[in-house]
């Protein structure tokens, strides 16, 4: 795996669940994966997270500020990623 992926895409590319549990693969949610070497890169993490986000979801809150390089004192960088989803979506907190 060289970039963000869903489980379905990884399986279609020939990776098994065993491969996805490897220490070099970071699991960001139930269905999103990223090579661990990219796990600290905000852009790569957001690309992976948005793969399974509901249509119309947008990056928001501290994550949006960080992506615009706005420093917020006393806020841990990178975790968790904040998204705002449209009303009526079935999304829930995926920490």
């Amino acid at each position: 795996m060289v970039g963000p992926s869903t489980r379905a895409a990884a399986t279609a590319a020939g990776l098994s669940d065993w491969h996805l549990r490897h220490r070099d693969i970071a699991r960001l949610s139930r269905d999103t994966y990223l090579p661990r070497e990219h796990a600290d890169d905000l852009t790569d993490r957001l690309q992976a997270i948005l793969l399974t986000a509901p249509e119309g979801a947008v990056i928001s809150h501290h994550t949006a500020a960080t992506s615009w390089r706005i420093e917020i004192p006393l806020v841990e960088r990178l975790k968790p990623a904040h998204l705002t989803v449209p009303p009526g979506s079935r999304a829930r907190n995926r920490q």
Side-chain angles (χ1 to χ4, degrees):
M1 180 183 312
V2 295
S5 182
T6 63
R7 184 171 180 258
T11 301
L15 298 175
S16 67
D17 286 339
W18 182 82
H19 290 108
L20 294 175
R21 288 191 298 270
H22 193 273
R23 69 175 179 253
D24 290 340
I25 304 294
R27 181 178 179 217
L28 301 180
S29 72
R30 278 176 291 179
D31 194 35
T32 54
Y33 300 86
L34 186 64
R36 188 156 312 274
E37 64 194 33
H38 297 271
D40 289 335
D41 183 280
L42 180 61
T43 302
D44 289 340
R45 286 183 66 237
L46 292 174
Q47 287 176 353
I49 292 166
L50 290 171
L51 287 173
T52 58
E55 186 175 334
V58 295
I59 300 162
S60 63
H61 299 78
H62 300 134
T63 307
T66 300
S67 71
W68 283 94
R69 296 185 177 96
I70 298 171
E71 295 290 328
I72 301 175
L74 305 176
V75 172
E76 183 180 351
R77 292 186 61 160
L78 296 178
K79 300 180 182 179
H82 297 112
L83 299 179
T84 298
V85 298
S89 75
R90 299 181 64 157
R92 58 184 176 166
N93 189 347
R94 296 192 210 177
Q95 286 188 25

